[in-house]
Each structure stands twice: as structure tokens, then as C-alpha cells.
Amino acid sequence: IIFKTMSIRRFAFLLIYAISSPGALGFAPTSKRTPTSSFVRRTDSSSNASSSPRLGKTAISNSRDQAEQYLSESYPKFCFLLQQNPAALQRMRESKTGFAVLAPSDAAIDSMGPERMQMLEAACNDPGAQQIVSRMAAYHIVNAPTTAEIMATYNVVNTRVGELPVEVAQDGTLYVNGRQIIQSYQFEDNMIQNYQDKDGNLLGSQSVEGGKRCIIHEVDGLVCPDELWHAMYSHFESAGLGAM
């Protein structure tokens, strides 16, 4: 979407509005850190075989905690946006299978330009625009821990509030609603399966799959539909912040 040129008066008003609001520092510049590893896998050999061993699984590392820590450290401005929809964020955290998010970097958010940046800042602190911001956030939360390969196969990704189109370029690059997936980070629970005899004695254990999977897809911008930017622009226009 190309917005009509912002008047000096409206831009100054939005800038003052955002800076004077309590949450205006949510998009302050931060540094990005590279994850050390996606998951840890251990294997312990079994011993003393039993004719009818009992099985039990235990998670010894938490993929959700690892993913959320990496999000907060590497994508703080995106995390600030997610916090504008606490209900969707809570459902994401409570998922039994894990989650995927489409996370723009701080640099990608900064690249939106001053007009959209100031509108987004102002909207995050304007109760009248809260529903718009909440939907923006929800479009970045995927319903399941969907990999880039799955998105490429079906050419669509299901988010909390609707579908977004996925395009695959000739060189294999993926675009979600026109935004490029730069890279993906996958975090998996480290599950250990224990083998016990009929008396409950531990016979052995081994690493197995079956835990949660949390995926962060870094994208080069916000993937929400342009109609939400239209709605935000109209909101501030009706509030008397439009060009005179």
C-alpha cells in the first residue's frame, strides 16, 4: 500500500503522541544474538533386556522456553507487538504440539519508514486502535509448528486470524504475503524414553521424538494484510490527525 504523503502537522502530532505514551520505548534499538543450538539430543544405551518392559517419556529440555528466550533476545520489537494480543500469545504458549511464528527483525520493522513506525507506536497506546494492533500481532502466529517445507507444499499458511499466501521463487526462496523468509530456527523438546521391568526397575533409556516443536521464521517485514494498515490510517484520520 502507498499512503498519501503525510503532512508535516500530522507527522509531528503522531511523533509527539508516540513519544509521550507509556509504551513508546517498545521499539527501541536492540542487538541480535545468534542461537547456540536448536536442540540437544542424548542417547543412553539400554541394558538387562526384559520380556515386557514398561515405557515412560520425560522431557528434559523445554523447546518453548528456549524459543521464547531467543525471541525476546533477538526480536524484541516483534515481541512488543505480540504482547498487544495477550490472548493469542497465551494460546500459543499453551499449545501441546508447539508453535511457529513469523518474526520480523528489528531492522525489518525499522525499514517500514517513519510514517508507519509512528502510527504503530501511537496505535499500541491508543485503546481505539487496540483491535487493529491485536489482529496485526495474531497474523504472525501460526496455528501449528509449520515448517517452511510445509508452507511451500501448500502455498498457504494458517495463522490465528486467517490464511496468508505463500509463494516460492524459482531459486526456492519463500515469501509469505510478499515478505521473504530469511531463515528459520527450530527448537525441539529433548525427550527421554525410559524402559522399566515389571517391578519398576530402570532397564535403560534412549532419546526419542514426540515432544513440542517451536519454530521461528525470520521474515523481512510485517506479514499482516495491508487492509489493517488502511484501517489504522482511517482511525487516525477520523480522530482528527489527517491532512488538513
Side-chain angles (χ1 to χ4, degrees):
I1 285 175
I2 301 178
F3 286 103
K4 51 189 172 181
T5 303
M6 172 177 272
S7 68
I8 295 176
R9 178 179 178 182
R10 191 165 104 254
F11 180 83
F13 190 100
L14 280 175
L15 179 61
I16 294 171
Y17 186 97
I19 293 176
S20 62
S21 300
L25 296 180
F27 296 98
T30 53
S31 59
K32 182 175 178 180
R33 198 167 70 95
T34 302
T36 54
S37 62
S38 295
F39 62 93
V40 179
R41 182 177 293 274
R42 296 183 186 176
T43 302
D44 296 325
S45 58
S46 301
S47 60
N48 300 328
S50 171
S51 58
S52 57
R54 294 189 298 176
L55 307 178
K57 291 182 180 179
T58 303
I60 63 174
S61 66
N62 191 312
S63 60
R64 191 197 74 189
D65 291 346
Q66 294 171 351
E68 288 185 1
Q69 180 180 356
Y70 184 63
L71 273 173
S72 65
E73 293 175 351
S74 302
Y75 306 90
K77 293 183 180 182
F78 172 64
C79 285
F80 181 77
L81 177 62
L82 285 183
Q83 290 166 8
Q84 306 308 307
N85 192 330
L89 187 58
Q90 184 63 25
R91 287 195 295 272
M92 179 189 85
R93 299 182 79 252
E94 292 176 348
S95 170
K96 296 184 181 302
T97 57
F99 60 81
V101 293
L102 300 162
S105 65
D106 283 9
I109 292 177
D110 291 341
S111 70
M112 294 190 304
E115 180 176 356
R116 285 194 172 186
M117 280 289 294
Q118 297 304 328
M119 273 204 304
L120 185 57
E121 279 280 8
C124 286
N125 296 283
D126 183 346
Q130 189 59 46
Q131 185 176 1
I132 301 172
V133 179
S134 293
R135 287 186 65 81
M136 279 186 167
Y139 266 110
H140 293 78
I141 302 175
V142 182
N143 285 334
T146 306
T147 64
E149 290 76 14
I150 292 176
M151 285 190 274
T153 299
Y154 294 98
N155 296 115
V156 70
V157 59
N158 293 303
T159 72
R160 287 293 181 187
V161 286
E163 294 183 346
L164 291 174
V166 176
E167 296 181 1
V168 184
Q170 291 184 349
D171 62 359
T173 303
L174 263 65
Y175 295 85
V176 178
N177 201 29
R179 296 299 184 180
Q180 181 182 348
I181 294 182
I182 306 298
Q183 54 193 339
S184 299
Y185 302 105
Q186 184 166 298
F187 302 83
E188 296 180 356
D189 284 350
N190 185 12
M191 303 290 294
I192 295 296
Q193 182 167 273
N194 296 320
Y195 298 85
Q196 298 175 326
D197 63 20
K198 61 181 181 179
D199 298 319
N201 299 312
L202 182 64
L203 300 177
S205 60
Q206 66 178 8
S207 178
V208 295
E209 297 181 353
K212 290 183 179 180
R213 175 186 298 176
C214 301
I215 306 173
I216 299 171
H217 299 292
E218 181 178 326
V219 290
D220 66 355
L222 296 178
V223 301
C224 51
D226 287 337
E227 64 190 43
L228 293 178
W229 288 107
H230 275 305
M232 186 180 294
Y233 183 84
S234 298
H235 168 75
F236 287 114
E237 284 279 302
S238 64
L241 303 182
M244 298 298 181

